[in-house]
Amino acid sequence: MIVRPYGDTTGDGMVQVSFTLPIPHSKVAEGAAAQLAAKMGMDPAMVVHARPMGPGFTFFVVYGRVSHLVDTDAVEVVERDYPLLTPAEVNTAIRRSLRRRMVVVGACVGTDAHTVGIDAILNVKGFAGEKGLEYYREIKVVNLGAQVDVEQLLARAVEEGADAVLVSQVVTQRDAHLLHARQVAAAFAAAYPDGGRPLLVVGGPRFEESAAAGLGVDRVFGRGTTPGEVASFLADRVAARAELAR
Ligand code: B12
């Protein structure tokens, strides 16, 4: 299907963008914002909001028309390739495939101190009306918290005999999230040279779900992930691994 953006009337092509320029707020700054928007293909481009951000920066919102069409048939997405299960079904699947509890070790690695996301997945109180992994009888959760070194994470995962390692990365400055995800993948690959490493799952609001293979991990979860999705994924993959080992 071919669509174009909608602002005031259907198909009018109106969009809104926001950005910051490293110049103090002035008429020239607003003109610069309009010039940038025009170069981005917005015509006409209206600066509808400009606000100083400290002495040397200005934040802008620009509203304007673009002429581009988008083709939804050309959009590529990572489809869910595992069934969504209830907690009872996850527990049953784990019991059947592992015949013991699944061990999940989670952490925010590097300097990242944003624990709300990993806690939303792991803590019993959960997220979006779903209980976290701690609620699942057949999952043992070891949540290491924030600012964990990759070596510490690896050592604990080995000590616990982890089936899965969950890594959260929220800060993306200078692509720190990608760097840390790759460091985790490399450390586990080195520690398990013959394969058999735990499932590696990374998550955070600015990851592309399609990035898993390039990062060397088994799955990437993005913004809005719910604990049930993660539990269902883990149950599915652990069952597949157990099947292979038989
Ligand atoms: C709360 C918060 C903080 C709190 C964190 C408290 C805590 N204990 O976590 C405090 C005040 C400490 C903080 C500090 C900083 N913050 Co802050 N913070 C936020 C804020 C407002 C909300 C983040 C949050 O809790 N979201 C709610 C959770 C539920 O969502 P989520 O993290 O996306 O998690 C979901 C998914 O992504 C996914 N998920 C996440 N992790 C994982 C892991 C796995 C395995 C899986 C499966 C899924 C998964 O599942 C979750 C549920 O759906 C964001 C802005 C925003 N609105 O997002 C900025 C933000 C993340 N912070 C930012 C910054 C810059 C900082 C500081 C550097 C500020 C400073 N100059 O000091 C410091 C850094 C500290 C550090 N060393 O990390 C920036 C990051 C920018 C960037 N590009 O990297 C943001 C985006 C704000 C901004 N716009 O500038 N911050």
Side-chain angles (χ1 to χ4, degrees):
M1 186 172 54
I2 305 287
V3 292
R4 60 165 89 231
Y6 162 87
D8 302 315
T9 54
T10 308
D12 61 12
M14 300 302 281
V15 300
Q16 184 169 293
V17 296
S18 61
F19 53 86
T20 302
L21 290 179
I23 35 182
H25 183 215
S26 67
K27 290 212 161 179
V28 170
E30 293 198 15
Q35 185 192 103
L36 176 66
K39 287 182 175 171
M40 290 164 68
M42 294 170 72
D43 180 23
M46 285 163 280
V47 177
V48 294
H49 179 80
R51 187 60 62 94
M53 299 271 287
F57 298 83
T58 311
F59 173 74
F60 300 97
V61 178
V62 179
Y63 184 60
R65 174 175 295 124
V66 296
S67 57
H68 310 289
L69 304 172
V70 284
D71 179 359
T72 57
D73 295 337
V75 175
E76 285 177 18
V77 293
V78 177
E79 295 290 358
R80 182 165 50 76
D81 58 353
Y82 54 91
L84 264 190
L85 306 177
T86 64
E89 289 169 335
V90 166
N91 285 330
T92 306
I94 294 171
R95 222 172 16 245
R96 194 177 296 141
S97 57
L98 286 183
R99 300 195 179 97
R100 58 169 172 79
R101 294 174 86 202
M102 179 198 291
V103 180
V104 173
V105 175
C108 272
V109 299
T111 51
D112 204 331
H114 294 86
T115 48
V116 181
I118 188 86
D119 288 347
I121 303 299
L122 296 181
N123 288 3
V124 70
K125 70 174 188 264
F127 181 71
E130 291 182 7
K131 301 275 193 205
L133 269 52
E134 283 177 353
Y135 170 78
Y136 291 68
R137 206 181 42 238
E138 299 297 336
I139 301 181
K140 177 188 175 188
V141 172
V142 181
N143 186 347
L144 301 180
Q147 300 190 325
V148 176
D149 289 339
V150 174
E151 299 71 40
Q152 260 176 283
L153 174 66
L154 173 65
R156 192 63 187 271
V158 171
E159 185 189 323
E160 297 283 348
D163 298 290
V165 170
L166 270 54
V167 169
S168 182
Q169 286 290 275
V170 174
V171 172
T172 60
Q173 289 159 336
R174 297 174 201 272
D175 283 343
H177 60 314
L178 305 178
L179 174 75
H180 292 143
R182 288 197 182 99
Q183 284 175 348
V184 169
F188 278 83
Y192 295 84
D194 303 326
R197 63 155 172 72
L199 285 166
L200 295 180
V201 176
V202 298
R206 294 204 189 167
F207 277 108
E208 298 282 349
E209 289 191 329
S210 56
L215 295 173
V217 302
D218 297 294
R219 186 83 182 188
V220 168
F221 284 94
R223 70 193 144 79
T225 303
T226 67
E229 292 171 320
V230 180
S232 299
F233 168 79
L234 295 177
D236 182 78
R237 294 307 196 266
V238 156
R241 283 183 164 202
E243 190 61 38
L244 268 181
R246 255 176 229 137

